[in-house]
Amino acid sequence: MSKIILGVSSSVSIYKSCEIIRSFQEKGYDVQVLMTKNASKFISPLLFKALTGNKVLMDLFNDGVSEDILHVTLAGEAVLFVIAPATANVIGKMASGISDDFLTTFYTAATCPVLVAPAMNEKMFLKGKTQDNIRKLQAAGVRFIEPEKGYLACGDHGYGRLAPVSGIVEEGVLLIRKSRSLKGMTVLVTGGPTREYLDSVRFLTNRSSGKMGFELAGESERRGAKTIFISGPGNLISNPGIKSVAVETAKEMKEQVEKYAGGSDIIIMAAAVCDFKFPKQISGKIKKDSMPLEVKLSRTEDILSEIGKNKGTKVVVGFAAEAKNTEENARKKLVKKNLDIIVANNISKKGIGFESDRNDVTIIHRDGKTIRTGEKSKLEISKIIMDEVEAVIGRKNR
Ligand code: CTP
């Protein structure tokens, strides 16, 4: 039986955790409860033990029995970690990497999808620090289910009530399904800019933070795919579940893409590959007086076009950075490069895209189906793109 780990912290809405347990059990899951010490002041662990048939875990060191590695064992078994209700304190600890009880230590060890359902007073929920912590965790792939407006335990009427049990359970089951949807597949994602050097200190590059590729690689990994992320220079922290390959030049990126493309089922070229290079890279630093002011450039190879030529049954996704006629130009690139999907970016929109966590893209399929995402976080956009990739896989397998 698949195991769901339910983290319970000290909010008045803790009584709803019992219903969450029952609903997951009705769907065939085994539930293991982890409680904070304060939560046990509201409800005795005995009730959760009676409901689940599993001993409730609270401390790392209990009854002289070594539970200190149990979090690692459990992490290997869990298909989902739900924290409901989640207090501001638990969210803060998770965001800061504090692991001082079983629940927070388990989060640090967990590799399964994580769903957090906050419940607290409205002022606490809307506080800048709480929102910062939520954003930080969202950026790390944690899914949040927003609290509702209504009567709060403190007597206030406001935002902060635990989301409905049915919503939490549905979202949890969806996360589990998604976390397996690409199991058995290999996904190759590229991201970031490339650099084409003139000498050892000067280079030509494209504006790109690499965040879009990074989010796509993360989403692919969360869906269970073996994921390879080939990225140009950037300062994104790598995810231990993803094979990361760092490159600098378009030539290096091409070599690495070719190395992994054969074994990949899905290739997503989100990298902003520099189209031009200097005829030859000079080692050392050219003295400015000896540098001619006109430099001849040559073209780098188009990696995606090469992939498109021999794509076979692979699903190939390209990006298009366009300053005008975005969708029309993107469609032309889709045909020219023989792609299944192209993601069109209108680079003239201010405040999104480059170096931003947000974007607004149009996803165009080969058959013309077009999805306009509207402005969203790159994480959300990566999910929409991966859903569309899965739709192509579904069509190919029909
Ligand atoms: N691309 C590539 N190799 C290159 C240039 C681009 O693989 N040398 C890929 C990008 O990763 C992207 C797609 O091709 O997925 C389109 O890139 P874009 O810069 O929008 O278009 P270009 O083909 O370079 O054409 P143009 O610059 O004229 O718009």
Side-chain angles (χ1 to χ4, degrees):
M1 210 191 289
S2 300
K3 201 185 270 293
I4 290 179
I5 311 296
L6 177 66
V8 177
S9 60
S10 61
S11 149
V12 176
S13 60
I14 189 170
Y15 66 94
K16 294 185 184 164
S17 305
C18 303
E19 271 183 72
I20 296 175
I21 292 169
R22 279 285 178 251
S23 303
F24 278 132
Q25 285 172 333
E26 275 162 21
K27 292 187 183 299
Y29 293 99
D30 176 28
V31 183
Q32 164 73 59
V33 173
L34 316 181
M35 261 180 133
T36 63
K37 263 219 168 76
N38 285 342
S40 70
K41 291 178 186 154
F42 280 105
I43 288 188
S44 161
L46 268 181
L47 177 63
F48 290 128
K49 185 176 179 219
L51 283 171
T52 61
N54 293 318
K55 185 182 168 214
V56 173
L57 300 166
M58 214 153 36
D59 293 314
L60 282 167
F61 308 97
N62 247 358
D63 318 326
V65 182
S66 165
E67 283 174 355
D68 54 341
I69 57 149
L70 193 54
H71 58 280
V72 179
T73 318
L74 270 184
E77 295 169 2
V79 293
L80 177 72
F81 182 27
V82 187
I83 302 105
T87 58
N89 184 44
V90 159
I91 292 170
K93 281 191 196 173
M94 287 166 68
S96 327
I98 295 173
S99 312
D100 61 355
D101 60 6
F102 205 100
L103 193 158
T104 47
T105 305
F106 180 77
Y107 169 67
T108 316
T111 49
C112 60
V114 181
L115 175 64
V116 176
M120 64 196 77
N121 165 274
E122 180 177 62
K123 290 189 189 76
M124 290 170 81
F125 182 69
L126 297 177
K127 191 98 178 175
K129 198 67 215 164
T130 310
Q131 290 297 315
D132 282 351
N133 289 334
I134 291 175
R135 271 193 291 276
K136 205 163 161 190
L137 288 169
Q138 281 174 326
V142 173
R143 182 89 194 167
F144 274 77
I145 183 151
E146 292 253 305
E148 283 192 317
K149 233 187 164 98
Y151 176 76
L152 300 173
C154 52
D156 284 358
H157 192 87
Y159 202 51
R161 270 166 69 110
L162 186 74
V165 168
S166 59
I168 296 171
V169 172
E170 263 168 43
E171 187 65 29
V173 172
L174 193 73
L175 280 180
I176 296 171
R177 189 171 61 73
K178 281 213 168 149
S179 71
R180 294 168 170 172
S181 56
L182 290 177
K183 226 178 178 74
M185 299 220 161
T186 301
V187 178
L188 170 59
V189 181
T190 67
T194 64
R195 286 177 180 172
E196 308 307 323
Y197 284 90
L198 169 68
D199 60 15
S200 302
V201 288
R202 304 173 179 106
F203 56 81
L204 196 62
T205 191
N206 279 349
R207 271 181 82 184
S208 167
S209 61
K211 278 184 192 148
M212 195 64 246
F214 178 78
E215 296 295 6
L216 281 161
E219 187 56 22
S220 153
E221 193 252 349
R222 281 190 291 279
R223 292 180 187 216
K226 179 178 165 209
T227 306
I228 300 139
F229 182 43
I230 300 174
S231 85
N235 48 10
L236 300 165
I237 303 155
S238 65
N239 171 338
I242 296 172
K243 176 161 183 56
S244 291
V245 182
V247 296
E248 275 203 277
T249 63
K251 185 168 174 280
E252 285 167 11
M253 183 167 279
K254 182 167 184 282
E255 282 164 6
Q256 292 302 319
V257 168
E258 280 170 357
K259 179 172 165 192
Y260 292 102
S264 300
D265 304 286
I266 299 164
I267 300 176
I268 305 178
M269 275 296 296
V273 186
C274 194
D275 289 315
F276 314 105
K277 62 178 180 186
F278 298 100
K280 65 171 191 219
Q281 187 201 322
I282 289 144
S283 87
K285 186 182 173 211
I286 303 169
K287 294 306 285 176
K288 68 180 168 209
D289 293 337
S290 58
M291 176 74 190
L293 290 181
E294 278 180 21
V295 188
K296 247 199 153 70
L297 297 173
S298 61
R299 291 269 281 270
T300 58
E301 278 183 84
D302 193 310
I303 306 168
L304 188 57
S305 292
E306 289 306 310
I307 295 291
K309 276 182 203 155
N310 311 299
K311 82 193 223 342
T313 55
K314 296 182 206 316
V315 176
V316 180
V317 180
F319 275 66
E322 304 294 341
K324 57 182 181 195
N325 303 331
T326 308
E327 292 184 17
E328 190 190 325
N329 286 340
R331 267 189 204 98
K332 283 184 191 152
K333 278 182 194 166
L334 177 141
V335 174
K336 192 169 162 207
K337 302 195 186 198
N338 193 25
L339 310 175
D340 294 284
I341 291 177
I342 194 146
V343 181
N345 267 301
N346 177 350
I347 56 139
S348 60
K349 285 194 185 162
K350 294 257 178 308
I352 54 167
F354 298 129
E355 289 107 33
S356 163
D357 284 336
R358 302 184 72 74
N359 208 352
D360 178 357
V361 303
T362 305
I363 302 164
I364 305 169
H365 283 257
R366 214 182 164 79
D367 64 7
K369 183 182 162 204
T370 300
I371 294 119
R372 295 178 186 90
T373 61
E375 194 194 315
K376 290 196 165 54
S377 69
K378 287 184 176 171
L379 178 71
E380 286 304 317
I381 289 178
S382 73
K383 289 179 184 164
I384 303 173
I385 295 171
M386 293 312 289
D387 284 346
E388 293 311 311
V389 167
E390 287 194 25
V392 175
I393 295 169
R395 274 202 300 277
K396 286 194 179 191
N397 292 338
R398 257 206 310 257

